Amino acid sequence: MTAYTVDPKLDLVLERTVDVAPELVWKAWTTPELIVRWFAPKPWSTSSCEIDVRPGGKFNTVMRSPEGEEYPSTGCILVAEENSTLVFTSALGPGFRPQTTGDDDFPFTAVVRIERAGDGTKYTATAIHADAAAKKTHEEMGFIEGWGAALDQLVEVAKSL
């Protein structure tokens, strides 16, 4: 994937260095049995995950609220560069098929960059939005806090491997 330039009017970015090797971060992002252990910030959970890690492959998850309500998300992987870059979007379904989302949803594309940083990983997650309203909605939902908490959970899972 060519370099993506962040647009602060449309994009949200979480960047941190974590003390887990890039290979373990990649494994946590691309193994369904691991994703269900960390993907949703507690007290939420991920009840299921299906991934086909290749361009055009599926990235499907179901998040469960503390009250037991389930929120399925169907997406498409755009880029899968092992131990380096994972890009997926909710604007497309598997096979790059355009899809509509629910009235309360907003499609976005996630760019996850994994770079070696000493013994750890520089982790950058960018959520790309179509417009400022979608960015604001995602930000107000707690993007930084939620994705940050999920990253902490990913690190815990990766360290257990």
Side-chain angles (χ1 to χ4, degrees):
M1 178 178 174
T2 58
Y4 174 75
T5 302
V6 172
D7 181 341
K9 295 177 190 155
L10 302 175
D11 305 334
L12 296 167
V13 180
L14 171 70
E15 185 175 281
R16 286 196 353 221
T17 299
V18 296
D19 61 345
V20 176
E23 298 79 14
L24 293 177
V25 174
W26 178 261
K27 186 174 184 176
W29 259 108
T30 58
T31 307
E33 299 79 26
L34 298 178
I35 287 179
V36 298
R37 293 173 51 191
W38 70 264
F39 191 69
K42 293 176 184 172
W44 287 66
S45 62
T46 304
S47 60
S48 70
C49 175
E50 294 179 283
I51 297 178
D52 180 3
V53 185
R54 64 179 175 82
K58 61 184 158 188
F59 189 94
N60 301 344
T61 58
V62 178
M63 294 178 103
R64 183 178 291 142
S65 74
E67 297 75 33
E69 292 182 60
E70 294 203 331
Y71 298 87
S73 176
T74 301
C76 180
I77 293 179
L78 304 175
V79 177
E81 296 171 355
E82 189 170 358
N83 301 325
S84 169
T85 306
L86 182 66
V87 182
F88 60 94
T89 185
S90 61
L92 299 172
F96 304 108
R97 178 75 48 201
Q99 66 181 2
T100 57
T101 58
D103 292 337
D104 295 332
D105 282 345
F106 51 90
F108 72 94
T109 298
V111 179
V112 178
R113 296 268 192 201
I114 302 166
E115 302 172 63
R116 185 165 301 282
D119 291 334
T121 300
K122 179 182 174 190
Y123 177 93
T124 307
T126 305
I128 303 170
H129 303 90
D131 55 42
K135 175 197 174 193
K136 182 178 181 192
T137 297
H138 204 177
E139 191 169 35
E140 289 174 351
M141 287 174 65
F143 170 81
I144 295 297
E145 298 82 4
W147 282 57
L151 177 57
D152 292 339
Q153 293 166 185
L154 178 153
V155 169
E156 277 183 50
V157 168
K159 285 181 175 183
S160 74
L161 299 177

